Amino acid sequence: SLSNHQIIIQESRSNPLLHRKTLYIPYGMISRLIEGNKRDLSLKIDCKDFRIVSCNFNHEKDLSQTGRLIREAIQRVTPSKGRLSRDLFAFCHWQSQFADEGWDVYTPFAELERFNLFSSDLWRFSDCNQNFKISPSQPQVIVVPETLSEEDLTRYAKARPAGQLPVLHWKQKSTTMTIISYHVRQPTLCISGDEPFFLSLFSTMSSQHQQLHLITPLKVPVSVKDYLDPSLLNNSTLTHQTSNSQSSSGLTVSSQDLQRNLKARTKVLGLGLDTLTEATDFLLRLQAVCSNSEIDTNLNVDPVVVDWLEGLSRLLTSAFRVVQIVSNTLTSLLFQVVDDRPMIHVISLVLLLLDPYYRTLEGFQVLIEKEWCLGGHRLQRRVDGATAPTHKDKKSPPLEVIHPLFLQFLDCVWQLQHQFPTAFEFNEKLLGFVVDSTCSGQFGNFLFASEKERCENEIGQKTISVWAAVSAHNNKFINAHYIPSTPEDRLFPYSSPQHLRLWAAYYLRHSRSTVVSAGQEVVAVSLRSQQTTLKFPRMRLPVFPCSLDESSVPNGELVTEVNLIGHFLNTFPIEILSLVNVRVLNLENNFVSLVSPQMFLLLGSRLPSLTDLNLKGNLIDFLPNEISVLSNLRSLNLSNNNLKPGLFGLGFLTNLTNLNLAHNPLPAIQFRIDQLLSLTSLNLSYTLLTELPSNFLLPNLLELYLIGARLRALPDTFSNEIPSLRVLDLTGNRFEELSLTIMSLASLQQLILDGNQIQSLPLELAVLAPSLNTLHLASNKLQTLSPAIGQLSNLTSLNLFGNKLQSLPPHLGLLSNLDFLNLEGNPLKSPNRELICSGIPTLLSTLKEGLSGTVESYRMKLMVVGQENVGKSTVLRWITKKKKLVNKYSENVSTDGIEIDEWTFSTHKADKGNKKITAQISTWDFAGQDLYYTTHTFFLSSRSLYLIVWNMALPEEHSRLEFWLQSVSSRVQGAPIIIVGTHLEEALSSKEDILADLTAKYQKRFPNIESIHAVSNTNPKLMDKLRSDVKLLISNQSHMGETQPGSFMELEKMVKEQANRIPPVVSWAEFAHMSNLCNITSASDIKAASVLF
């Protein structure tokens, strides 16, 4: 429906039980209408308050009629030739009880009196603009320097666009410092015709040392000489223009005096501000992004938002630079105003930073009135619709937006409120209310842009002032944390882009309203049910969902923990300061970039019970000293931020027990860490530290994490400074040795040194024995393991992954409490992999046995497999020389089961210095009948050489060669294989073809095939070649020569003595009894011994 003020739209719902949302859109809030066509019967309403509303119609007639009525209503609220229709809601809304209220908030005389302007005779009132005869856009009352005559002033105005007169914005009460603006056609200091004006400015400066800073919106060199018109600095030219002339006031214009003042007392500051067109483009793009309700991502890093924040940064930086100049120098400020580069937003910010009065509720109203409402600035701006980023169509209708500079100014005020939460008497709700009021059509203040138009339309008599509404709802707009300032209190803001954040509470209030409403419901339910923890799981809130006024929040005093992990919060949620009993505040993984000094002061005073503060995973790069007021803080997590060196305030948090500074670019610890005597846990991982500070005295520290730092060593006094340390994690540093400093930590229980460059462990490792239970040395360069390892009797976890160990000392077997051992990634030759994989108890037992004496073992198995009647036994007898080869293969008597025999031969071991050794080979001749296939796999082991024999006189399929290759490879991966073809004299093809075919068919699939032989009973040379290859391959196996416990060898001898029993079987009970006789008593030791057989 349509009223005389607004459109009322009720959301349609298919389910009548669901709540139907109602939208109210004032006509003045409408930026533009976009009507659909016959195929799309929709009406899209773009709003200035970052809303986009779409209405669907059933009939084209209804769409057309509604669009026409809305456009007519919009036309009525649009000024035409300085006039507005009396049907406008602001005129109809007038109420007698508010007749005069609010219109007297600002009076020029009261403001000038506050400046103490007339305490001297340097300034006067001018009536040259009576009845707005010179400048229609400026007030009738003009204040000018006393020495500037009416004639000079009139002459000056005629040379300016629209007759603009210079404006006095502010004067410091105790000095002659002033802020003045004046209009120029081009940003240059051309004094031709303006000599009286400049001379009058210098006449208002009481001291010859007072300077004049000319402030231009452009970027210019600092040197005045480079900026001034060169012709004006030429004596002859300047003299010709001004010599022997007098102003109307009778003041003689001296070219020498004027030149001297320009050169010696004038400095130029170029701000490099955006043009009005550029600022409008930033606003349109921001509006397109923030009004999109379908985007559910973090807008803080959106390129459009970044551009907007960079514009705010330029604005705040400009104001900051001006305030710095004023604070350090006795100077007056002269702002140049160019049509396309207004300076009003900068001037307003400068006043706000300089004068605490403008930070009060009354003073802010005065500032808005005098600088914006009466300063000739219309707070709506009409834009060509084709340039709008949301609808780039040449036929797109024009649109109106809030004046971008006004919105930039209010956004900067919001930024300042969060940086200085106690400096403003009003809160951010007032800012949002003022922005909306410029478009609502309810109040007269924003209907016109000048005093002249106000008078002509009787605004003060016929409409309500917005400040009357503010006064009526005063409590709503008051900042509960406000602390009045002294007149000299100036604000110096953080103005870099990374310290500025998106004003989400305003820009996203409509597009994210569903999420915020859900958060409000969480707060309401939590407080009603008297929960002590306030949390918002998986909501991704852009702002804290509601204000928490102490007087209106039931059960707020019961809340002790606020959990805001993983949201899109970009500012510190000041609302929680009303929950006065909060002890735990968790803001992990948000987008907070700044916690200002005043915010920490508030935290200290409003949340005295706060003990746990988690700011992990934000964007904080600066920590003010005021954090020291959090005297009761026990745990502080600042990890994964961007903190720079300094952090001096941390040294005063003497009650801290847990401090986490990990993942910050800190090259050094500069705060007094030795004052944190209560600290029990400290995390300095992934910083840029190369050394620890000399003052590292932390007597109660229990846990220290220095992962990924750049440390090469620890201070010599380290163990004396932290005598209670239990956990030390030095993963990913640059240590090359395990120093005595570390080993002297008597209370150390966990030592993590993964990812360093340690090559060996010292014998003094035993010093750690009393308490150490965890030792991690993964990914180092250890080649040997010190026997001292065995003295760490309390060790339960040992990580040796990724080193260069080739053997383990038997002393490792003394670690009876070990329940975690990682040996992966080492080129271990002893013990063998089967023993390692048998489990920690078995491995340790085996190693422990080695302490009673070890022997080098040159033992291996030779296993011969293949189909029945292919000549396996004959080949084996030839290799072992048990029986000479006859003219034909021996009688085909098949092997029954498995025939086990011994074969010994002497050879030289190359990797043992060509040492002569005696190899003891256990030969296993497997029966080839099908009925044994299922049992053969139980006897296959990795410490074996396999001969797979097949008959070349028959097709390969008959010998099932691939079956045997698969069986061996799947059971014992990596075991060496030799393929032996027999009956070469009867082969179906040539030897070369057979070998080539087998190589091509199997070598890539079974890379553990060492060689392929074709033999014949008629060719002894081929058999000798096979025998030589077998012996060489056996002697080159890495496990040949490894050490084994002497007790195991004795047990083996005892078992072999039972080989003649029938059947040749030893029960487990008998085996265990034999083990006990060999001093192998525990079950794990007995199991370990059985693996070797």
Side-chain angles (χ1 to χ4, degrees):
S1 61
L2 305 178
S3 71
N4 67 337
H5 169 52
Q6 60 192 355
I7 309 171
I8 303 173
I9 303 173
Q10 195 168 49
E11 189 178 30
S12 60
R13 292 282 191 180
S14 57
N15 187 344
L17 298 179
L18 295 177
H19 175 70
R20 300 174 69 184
K21 187 176 180 180
T22 302
L23 303 178
Y24 301 90
I25 306 176
Y27 297 123
M29 192 67 74
I30 297 175
S31 177
R32 68 176 169 186
L33 293 177
I34 301 177
E35 290 187 28
N37 48 39
K38 294 182 179 180
R39 296 182 179 179
D40 177 22
L41 298 178
S42 66
L43 181 64
K44 180 183 176 184
I45 306 175
D46 287 355
C47 300
K48 300 170 188 175
D49 61 353
F50 291 69
R51 271 188 293 181
I52 296 179
V53 179
S54 294
C55 303
N56 296 318
F57 294 84
N58 294 324
H59 303 287
E60 184 179 359
K61 179 181 179 182
D62 295 336
L63 169 61
S64 177
Q65 183 178 4
T66 302
R68 177 178 56 80
L69 292 175
I70 295 177
R71 280 190 292 272
E72 290 175 355
I74 294 174
Q75 190 64 36
R76 287 196 299 270
V77 303
T78 304
S80 176
K81 297 181 180 180
R83 293 286 181 176
L84 279 173
S85 170
R86 290 306 170 116
D87 295 333
L88 184 66
F89 182 74
F91 294 102
C92 303
H93 183 57
W94 183 84
Q95 301 175 31
S96 58
Q97 65 266 35
F98 297 123
D100 298 320
E101 189 175 347
W103 291 114
D104 59 351
V105 163
Y106 165 68
T107 60
F109 296 100
E111 181 74 346
L112 295 173
E113 187 65 31
R114 194 179 67 82
F115 294 160
N116 199 21
L117 187 70
F118 304 113
S119 61
S120 65
D121 57 356
L122 299 177
W123 297 87
R124 67 177 180 84
F125 286 112
S126 170
D127 59 358
C128 68
N129 200 38
Q130 282 293 323
N131 299 319
F132 313 102
K133 61 183 179 182
I134 293 181
S135 178
S137 63
Q138 290 182 291
Q140 296 187 77
V141 178
I142 302 294
V143 177
V144 297
E146 177 66 32
T147 59
L148 189 62
S149 70
E150 297 296 294
E151 291 81 357
D152 290 334
L153 195 58
T154 302
R155 190 181 304 112
Y156 169 92
K158 288 181 178 179
R160 295 296 183 275
Q164 293 284 351
L165 296 164
V167 177
L168 174 68
H169 297 275
W170 186 75
K171 174 187 171 295
Q172 190 173 35
K173 190 173 183 179
S174 58
T175 71
T176 57
M177 192 202 83
T178 56
I179 297 178
I180 300 170
S181 66
Y182 78 112
H183 283 71
V184 293
R185 297 184 185 277
Q186 296 294 331
T188 180
L189 183 56
C190 181
I191 63 174
S192 179
D194 292 340
E195 298 87 352
F197 171 63
F198 279 93
L199 284 172
S200 67
L201 287 183
F202 287 116
S203 72
T204 63
M205 302 179 186
S206 60
S207 170
Q208 289 297 319
H209 301 291
Q210 185 170 344
Q211 293 181 339
L212 176 66
H213 271 81
L214 177 66
I215 301 173
T216 172
L218 300 179
K219 284 185 178 180
V220 297
V222 177
S223 169
V224 179
K225 184 176 180 180
D226 293 337
Y227 182 69
L228 299 178
D229 186 338
S231 65
L232 301 181
L233 296 182
N234 180 283
N235 283 334
S236 61
T237 305
L238 191 62
T239 302
H240 175 75
Q241 292 176 346
T242 61
S243 177
N244 299 322
S245 63
Q246 276 191 332
S247 68
S248 301
S249 61
L251 180 67
T252 300
V253 180
S254 166
S255 62
Q256 290 78 13
D257 289 344
L258 185 55
Q259 184 183 24
R260 183 170 58 254
N261 282 326
L262 286 172
K263 285 186 175 180
R265 300 177 63 185
T266 304
K267 294 187 176 180
V268 177
L269 175 64
L271 301 182
L273 296 177
D274 301 324
T275 65
L276 185 56
T277 301
E278 290 169 339
T280 303
D281 181 62
F282 290 147
L283 175 57
L284 290 172
R285 291 194 288 125
L286 180 71
Q287 195 167 5
V289 169
C290 294
S291 59
N292 188 351
S293 60
E294 297 180 359
I295 297 179
D296 187 24
T297 57
N298 170 37
L299 291 180
N300 293 288
V301 295
D302 188 280
V304 172
V305 174
V306 171
D307 286 345
W308 175 260
L309 294 179
E310 287 178 349
L312 297 184
S313 174
R314 288 188 288 273
L315 178 54
L316 268 175
T317 300
S318 298
F320 173 72
R321 293 169 65 190
V322 172
V323 173
Q324 272 190 318
I325 292 171
V326 171
S327 301
N328 298 328
T329 310
L330 180 61
T331 185
S332 287
L333 306 177
L334 181 61
F335 283 86
Q336 281 189 344
V337 180
V338 189
D339 285 344
D340 68 332
R341 293 180 188 266
M343 299 281 272
I344 183 60
H345 51 339
V346 179
I347 295 172
S348 299
L349 277 176
V350 169
L351 298 183
L352 201 70
L353 297 176
L354 281 176
D355 195 339
Y357 172 71
Y358 296 119
R359 303 195 289 267
T360 65
L361 183 58
E362 175 189 294
F364 190 67
Q365 296 173 33
V366 170
L367 181 65
I368 297 296
E369 277 291 311
K370 75 165 184 169
E371 300 296 343
W372 293 93
C373 296
L374 296 175
H377 304 284
R378 190 173 301 281
L379 298 185
Q380 313 291 321
R381 188 159 193 263
R382 197 168 183 83
V383 182
D384 181 8
T387 66
T390 55
H391 199 77
K392 291 189 175 181
D393 185 344
K394 293 182 179 180
K395 297 182 179 180
S396 179
L399 71 159
E400 277 197 351
V401 294
I402 299 170
H403 197 296
L405 303 189
F406 186 58
L407 191 56
Q408 280 187 334
F409 164 67
L410 292 178
D411 197 330
C412 286
V413 176
W414 177 82
Q415 306 285 347
L416 293 173
Q417 285 182 330
H418 280 268
Q419 293 185 22
F420 306 95
T422 63
F424 293 83
E425 187 181 15
F426 53 91
N427 57 29
E428 70 172 289
K429 290 181 180 178
L430 178 66
L431 304 180
F433 179 71
V434 169
V435 178
D436 287 347
S437 297
T438 63
C439 311
S440 68
Q442 289 181 276
F443 308 108
N445 306 67
F446 307 110
L447 297 180
F448 297 99
S450 68
E451 181 181 329
K452 178 177 182 294
E453 292 177 334
R454 280 191 177 187
C455 293
E456 292 173 347
N457 288 276
E458 300 179 288
I459 293 297
Q461 295 76 38
K462 300 298 183 180
T463 65
I464 298 174
S465 170
V466 66
W467 311 124
V470 170
S471 178
H473 303 89
N474 190 279
N475 292 335
K476 178 181 177 181
F477 302 116
I478 291 296
N479 175 18
H481 310 297
Y482 173 63
I483 300 176
S485 304
T486 64
E488 299 302 320
D489 282 344
R490 293 167 178 170
L491 302 184
F492 297 93
Y494 303 94
S495 58
S496 60
Q498 61 264 31
H499 291 147
L500 306 182
R501 313 311 290 161
L502 180 70
W503 186 7
Y506 182 77
Y507 299 133
L508 304 181
R509 58 180 171 158
H510 297 299
S511 62
R512 303 296 186 272
S513 59
T514 303
V515 174
V516 175
S517 297
Q520 293 171 346
E521 183 64 21
V522 168
V523 173
V525 171
S526 299
L527 295 179
R528 280 199 306 267
S529 58
Q530 301 185 0
Q531 296 181 19
T532 59
T533 300
L534 205 58
K535 56 184 177 181
F536 309 86
R538 298 183 300 277
M539 287 189 177
R540 311 296 277 174
L541 293 168
V543 295
F544 194 80
C546 60
S547 61
L548 297 173
D549 184 2
E550 295 177 49
S551 60
S552 62
V553 176
N555 304 319
E557 72 281 357
L558 300 179
V559 177
T560 60
E561 179 179 350
V562 177
N563 188 329
L564 289 164
I565 297 178
H567 293 281
F568 291 151
L569 301 179
N570 58 23
T571 57
F572 197 93
I574 195 172
E575 295 85 356
I576 64 170
L577 298 180
S578 299
L579 304 173
V580 294
N581 291 320
V582 166
R583 295 197 297 269
V584 178
L585 176 56
N586 195 335
L587 288 167
E588 181 178 332
N589 291 337
N590 279 277
F591 295 86
V592 177
S593 63
L594 177 69
V595 185
S596 67
Q598 285 194 3
M599 182 61 73
F600 276 119
L601 292 175
L602 272 180
L603 276 174
S605 61
R606 300 301 173 95
L607 300 182
S609 301
L610 188 65
T611 60
D612 191 325
L613 178 59
N614 187 351
L615 293 171
K616 175 183 178 182
N618 282 276
L619 303 171
I620 301 169
D621 64 355
F622 167 72
L623 197 65
N625 293 339
E626 285 75 6
I627 193 175
S628 60
V629 302
L630 305 181
S631 56
N632 292 321
L633 211 58
R634 301 290 188 274
S635 178
L636 177 60
N637 191 343
L638 293 167
S639 62
N640 296 84
N641 279 279
N642 195 32
L643 290 173
K644 302 299 190 298
L647 314 182
F648 298 109
L650 294 180
F652 297 95
L653 300 177
T654 55
N655 288 316
L656 268 186
T657 59
N658 189 329
L659 176 59
N660 192 338
L661 295 173
H663 292 276
N664 282 287
L666 298 172
I669 302 299
Q670 297 179 327
F671 60 92
R672 289 293 304 276
I673 196 170
D674 58 316
Q675 296 183 156
L676 306 183
L677 299 180
S678 300
L679 207 61
T680 60
S681 178
L682 176 62
N683 194 336
L684 297 172
S685 301
Y686 298 104
T687 57
L688 302 180
L689 294 177
T690 56
E691 61 181 4
L692 293 181
S694 56
N695 57 336
F696 209 68
L697 183 61
L698 298 171
N700 295 308
L701 192 67
L702 302 178
E703 300 176 1
L704 177 59
Y705 301 93
L706 292 164
I707 304 170
R710 302 180 179 184
L711 302 177
R712 295 183 181 274
L714 297 176
D716 293 338
T717 57
F718 185 74
S719 58
N720 296 326
E721 293 174 337
I722 50 173
S724 303
L725 196 66
R726 297 178 183 175
V727 178
L728 177 59
D729 195 335
L730 295 169
T731 299
N733 281 273
R734 301 176 181 179
F735 289 90
E736 296 181 357
E737 62 179 6
L738 185 57
S739 65
L740 290 175
T741 302
I742 296 176
M743 292 184 290
S744 301
L745 294 166
S747 301
L748 197 62
Q749 297 178 1
Q750 298 181 27
L751 177 58
I752 315 297
L753 283 161
D754 297 339
N756 281 274
Q757 301 173 27
I758 299 173
Q759 298 183 20
S760 62
L761 299 179
L763 292 175
E764 294 83 357
L765 191 64
V767 177
L768 293 170
S771 55
L772 196 68
N773 58 51
T774 299
L775 178 60
H776 287 187
L777 293 161
S779 301
N780 277 275
K781 298 180 179 181
L782 290 173
Q783 296 182 359
T784 60
L785 202 57
S786 170
I789 194 77
Q791 299 184 40
L792 303 178
S793 57
N794 292 318
L795 210 60
T796 60
S797 178
L798 178 60
N799 190 350
L800 297 169
F801 171 86
N803 281 276
K804 299 180 179 181
L805 298 173
Q806 297 188 28
S807 63
L808 298 179
H811 305 79
L812 195 64
L814 297 176
L815 303 180
S816 57
N817 294 314
L818 203 63
D819 55 27
F820 173 81
L821 177 62
N822 189 349
L823 296 169
E824 293 294 327
N826 284 281
L828 284 170
K829 297 181 179 179
S830 174
N832 61 73
R833 184 164 185 81
E834 285 185 342
L835 185 56
I836 294 173
C837 295
S838 64
I840 294 176
T842 301
L843 174 62
L844 296 184
S845 297
T846 305
L847 292 172
K848 183 178 179 181
E849 284 297 322
L851 293 176
S852 59
T854 59
V855 295
E856 290 184 344
S857 174
Y858 295 96
R859 303 185 57 81
M860 190 174 177
K861 294 177 183 178
L862 177 61
M863 296 191 171
V864 185
V865 297
Q867 284 296 110
E868 183 181 15
N869 295 326
V870 294
K872 297 189 298 296
S873 300
T874 302
V875 170
L876 182 58
R877 285 193 294 270
W878 174 259
I879 290 174
T880 60
K881 296 294 184 179
K882 295 290 183 177
K883 184 178 180 179
K884 292 186 180 294
L885 194 66
V886 295
N887 289 333
K888 61 178 181 179
Y889 284 91
S890 59
E891 185 179 357
N892 292 330
V893 179
S894 297
T895 302
D896 188 17
I898 302 175
E899 289 186 1
I900 302 175
D901 201 353
E902 293 293 326
W903 172 40
T904 60
F905 63 88
S906 297
T907 185
H908 291 83
K909 183 75 169 161
D911 57 358
K912 292 281 186 179
N914 210 28
K915 175 183 177 181
K916 186 176 181 179
I917 64 170
T918 299
Q920 297 177 319
I921 310 303
S922 177
T923 62
W924 295 53
D925 185 5
F926 287 78
Q929 298 91 328
D930 290 349
L931 63 94
Y932 291 113
Y933 287 1
T934 57
T935 59
H936 283 350
T937 56
F938 292 108
F939 300 96
L940 302 181
S941 64
S942 59
R943 296 163 56 86
S944 305
L945 170 61
Y946 290 86
L947 300 184
I948 301 179
V949 184
W950 69 293
N951 187 351
M952 293 187 293
L954 298 172
E956 178 192 331
E957 293 78 13
H958 182 270
S959 298
R960 302 179 68 184
L961 183 57
E962 181 159 352
F963 165 81
W964 290 106
L965 285 169
Q966 291 282 7
S967 298
V968 173
S969 297
S970 62
R971 180 67 177 176
V972 282
Q973 295 182 2
I977 297 174
I978 295 178
I979 298 176
V980 181
T982 61
H983 301 84
L984 176 61
E985 70 278 8
E986 301 173 10
L988 299 179
S989 58
S990 69
K991 172 186 174 183
E992 290 74 18
D993 290 341
I994 293 173
L995 296 181
D997 290 342
L998 292 180
T999 300
K1001 187 173 182 180
Y1002 296 117
Q1003 188 67 62
K1004 289 186 178 180
R1005 294 168 54 200
F1006 303 98
N1008 50 329
I1009 296 175
E1010 297 290 340
S1011 61
I1012 303 174
H1013 286 262
V1015 297
S1016 168
N1017 63 343
T1018 62
N1019 193 338
K1021 290 184 179 181
L1022 295 178
M1023 287 293 191
D1024 288 339
K1025 180 65 170 63
L1026 172 62
R1027 184 174 191 270
S1028 297
D1029 284 357
V1030 168
K1031 292 172 64 176
L1032 180 61
L1033 189 57
I1034 289 175
S1035 63
N1036 288 336
Q1037 294 302 302
S1038 60
H1039 53 263
M1040 294 292 283
E1042 67 180 5
T1043 58
Q1044 298 291 348
S1047 57
F1048 283 19
M1049 298 297 101
E1050 293 299 320
L1051 176 59
E1052 183 185 36
K1053 294 178 182 179
M1054 187 176 294
V1055 171
K1056 286 184 176 180
E1057 292 175 355
Q1058 311 301 316
N1060 294 327
R1061 69 164 62 184
I1062 300 176
V1065 175
V1066 175
S1067 68
W1068 183 257
E1070 290 175 307
F1071 182 80
H1073 178 66
M1074 294 178 192
S1075 300
N1076 292 334
L1077 293 176
C1078 294
N1079 200 28
I1080 305 173
T1081 56
S1082 67
S1084 59
D1085 289 345
I1086 296 172
K1087 181 179 179 182
S1090 69
V1091 174
L1092 297 177
F1093 288 89

